[in-house]
Amino acid sequence: MRIETSRLRSVTALSTAAVALVLGISEAAAGTGAPSPWEMSMQGMVTEVGRDLSNFHTYLVWLIAAICLFVLALLIIIVVRFNERSNPVPSRTTHNTMLEVAWTIVPVLILVAIAIPSFRLLRQQLVVPQADLVVKATGYAWYWGYEYPADQGGGFKFDSNMITEAKDLKPDQPRLLGADNPLVVPVGKVVKVQVTAADVLHSFAMPSFGVKVDAVPGRLNETWFRAEKEGVYFGQCSELCGNGHPYMPIEIRVVSEQQYAAWLAEAKQKYASVDGSGSLKLANAQ
């Protein structure tokens, strides 16, 4: 009985996902900030880059579906019209100029239709606008460390570990995604994140922001986001980095400017300064 119920639930979820995909409401049904059960699409986006990335993904899905249906239709036509029973004497056609031109030009046009929005999206991701806040994220085995520079009201750093005990989780923190010390940023501000690693390769990924960048030891990569909605957002290390890889959550709390100012004042007292002088400054990415 339990197996039948589980199967029914799976079929219902898959049917719902298929209908949502067909109707183009998959993103609206997806969770925002954290994965949701039976989620078949990308998470809801709260940044401009994230929405463009999600739209590009949907565009590619429809394009691929159209190509697959076209190829399937050709196969069915060939099987029906050119089988051995219908054509006992096979055609000896070796080439067809128009056909060869068509199957050369059409794929090129498809690649151009993919490349143009792809390059536009890459430029949008890689060209960092003037930042209102710079934060450095360092991947360790297996947790994250965050640094706020002194010239932007910070001058402190702290470690962010996964909360292991269920009793310590807050109501808005999912299991395996909640962190003891989340990254806190103000809403509507451009946040530049400088990412590196102290030991092995990691990856800083936040699905609802459309952000994912490798953390490489000895190298400073950077990405950016501007969250348009207050809330709690969860990501994870997205590079297989060792046996502790599943336990490197990234929690970002997007708050109002007033709440951010209050948190900043509290954090400076809680975490103190890096070297006692409060002169922490971040380098530029190379």
Side-chain angles (χ1 to χ4, degrees):
M1 185 66 180
R2 181 175 299 176
I3 294 176
E4 291 178 356
T5 304
S6 177
R7 286 178 178 173
L8 179 61
R9 187 179 304 162
S10 302
V11 171
T12 303
L14 288 173
S15 302
T16 304
V19 171
L21 181 63
V22 171
L23 297 179
I25 59 175
S26 54
E27 184 175 329
T32 298
S36 56
W38 287 102
E39 184 177 322
M40 302 291 288
S41 62
M42 303 182 76
Q43 292 183 20
M45 299 296 177
V46 294
T47 65
E48 181 182 359
V49 173
R51 282 194 298 274
D52 290 346
L53 189 148
S54 180
N55 292 336
F56 182 57
H57 170 266
T58 304
Y59 164 69
L60 289 181
V61 169
W62 283 109
L63 183 61
I64 293 170
I67 293 173
C68 291
L69 291 174
F70 176 70
V71 173
L72 178 62
L74 288 179
L75 289 174
I76 293 175
I77 291 173
I78 290 172
V79 168
V80 172
R81 295 187 57 184
F82 301 101
N83 57 67
E84 184 178 7
R85 185 184 305 168
S86 303
N87 296 274
V89 180
S91 171
R92 295 183 180 278
T93 303
T94 57
H95 66 276
N96 183 301
T97 303
M98 288 301 295
L99 190 60
E100 292 176 2
V101 170
W103 72 39
T104 301
I105 292 179
V106 171
V108 171
L109 293 177
I110 292 174
L111 290 178
V112 171
I114 295 175
I116 291 176
S118 174
F119 289 141
R120 185 185 299 126
L121 183 58
L122 279 175
R123 183 181 184 282
Q124 192 178 0
Q125 290 178 311
L126 298 178
V127 178
V128 182
Q130 182 64 36
D132 299 306
L133 173 65
V134 181
V135 178
K136 183 179 180 182
T138 304
Y140 298 92
W142 286 272
Y143 60 94
W144 291 94
Y146 301 120
E147 298 181 13
Y148 286 70
D151 55 1
Q152 297 181 35
F156 58 86
K157 66 178 182 179
F158 58 87
D159 296 333
S160 180
N161 290 275
M162 185 187 74
I163 298 176
T164 56
E165 299 294 335
K167 62 181 177 58
D168 297 328
L169 290 171
K170 297 177 182 176
D172 59 357
Q173 288 181 311
R175 178 177 171 270
L176 299 179
L177 288 178
D180 55 357
N181 296 312
L183 185 67
V184 180
V185 298
V187 66
K189 299 295 184 182
V190 175
V191 180
K192 181 166 71 174
V193 185
Q194 297 181 333
V195 182
T196 188
D199 34 52
V200 297
L201 289 175
H202 302 281
S203 183
F204 186 90
M206 183 56 63
S208 285
F209 294 174
V211 165
K212 183 177 182 297
V213 61
D214 285 344
V216 183
R219 179 171 177 172
L220 199 61
N221 291 329
E222 59 183 32
T223 184
W224 72 282
F225 63 84
R226 179 169 52 211
E228 300 169 350
K229 183 179 178 183
E230 294 182 29
V232 186
Y233 303 94
F234 299 94
Q236 286 180 303
C237 174
S238 295
E239 183 76 42
L240 187 58
C241 55
N243 62 357
H245 167 67
Y247 312 115
M248 289 185 63
I250 300 167
E251 180 178 339
I252 299 181
R253 290 184 175 265
V254 180
V255 298
S256 65
E257 288 192 57
Q258 293 76 15
Q259 290 174 317
Y260 176 72
W263 175 85
L264 203 59
E266 180 184 351
K268 281 192 285 189
Q269 297 295 325
K270 180 178 180 181
Y271 303 118
S273 61
V274 175
D275 54 7
S277 63
S279 60
L280 174 65
K281 292 184 178 180
L282 301 182
N284 292 322
Q286 299 295 322

